[in-house]
Amino acid sequence: MFFSKKKKINEIDMSRLPQHIGIIMDGNGRWAKKRGLPRSAGHSAGADSLKKIITEANNLGVKYITVYAFSTENWKRPKEEVDYLMSLLLDYLRNAEKTLSGENVVIRVIGSRKGLSEEICRQIIKTENFTKNNTGIVMNIALNYGGREEIVNAVKNVCKDVTDGRQNVDDIDDEVFSSYLYTENQPDVDLLIRTSGEQRLSNFMLWQVSYAEMWFTDKLWPDFKPTDLHKAIIDFQNRGRRFGGV
């Protein structure tokens, strides 16, 4: 197993790493069901996988990673599951100092604060402030996030700035508009990974993934290992990225 992992790492061209990786972490519930466990057990196992993947991406030298933790549509799930997810996310943020922060990770939470508890909102601020001076990978946790909502909010803010005289309509281009998104000052996603065999975006970073290379796997998220991350990166590096050119 060690040799296999080492072999995969040796196949990665460290000079051509994707700058920004997006991950749709799918399959926690199915992982639990296959084992006769409650869905909460799948989410807990998924959180363990996340730490391993963030640590590995940071060790490789990836600069940014965005993980889809909870979408604006996930509120439709049973209240018991939503409550557990929120509790798990709160604990995840609380433990950042002892876990990911120790790995020199910058933690940012992107998405709407609407509907989140005051406790979670306070912890988001605390965790972001605690890790903001770290110099390793920037980890965006997409919490209560929706790609369409992000774009609509950006349009509203652009319109407000134009109305107030802070922005000239003729100066608005892709770069300017990107500065109104949650991922301001970050590069677009180069590599998008989705687990569990599903092959759709599910309202995730619709603007930022416009030219992303997509990599799908049948593995459920709790089973996704650092070696799978290596495979995705190697496949990414073997593709030709022309951005509309020849």
Side-chain angles (χ1 to χ4, degrees), residues 60-76:
L60 288 173
V62 176
K63 300 300 183 184
Y64 300 89
I65 193 163
T66 301
V67 296
Y68 210 3
F70 190 89
S71 75
T72 51
E73 292 76 28
N74 286 155
W75 294 107
K76 300 173 185 175

Side-chain angles (χ1 to χ4, degrees), residues 144-163:
N144 196 21
Y145 173 90
R148 287 183 174 181
E149 182 176 81
E150 178 183 24
I151 293 171
V152 169
N153 288 338
V155 170
K156 288 179 179 178
N157 289 327
V158 169
C159 291
K160 190 174 187 303
D161 281 354
V162 170
T163 300

Side-chain angles (χ1 to χ4, degrees), residues 57-122:
N58 194 29
N59 289 339
L60 288 173
V62 176
K63 300 300 183 184
Y64 300 89
I65 193 163
T66 301
V67 296
Y68 210 3
F70 190 89
S71 75
T72 51
E73 292 76 28
N74 286 155
W75 294 107
K76 300 173 185 175
R77 294 187 177 188
K79 184 178 184 302
E80 181 180 357
E81 182 175 354
V82 170
D83 289 345
Y84 181 80
L85 278 168
M86 289 299 162
S87 175
L88 186 65
L89 286 163
L90 182 59
D91 286 342
Y92 197 87
L93 292 170
R94 282 174 175 164
N95 293 331
E97 178 178 351
K98 294 180 289 185
T99 56
L100 291 179
S101 180
E103 303 288 345
N104 199 28
V105 175
V106 179
I107 299 173
R108 297 186 66 248
V109 179
I110 64 174
S112 172
R113 300 293 187 265
K114 185 178 180 181
L116 300 179
S117 69
E118 291 184 8
E119 188 176 17
I120 288 181
C121 290
R122 286 196 300 269

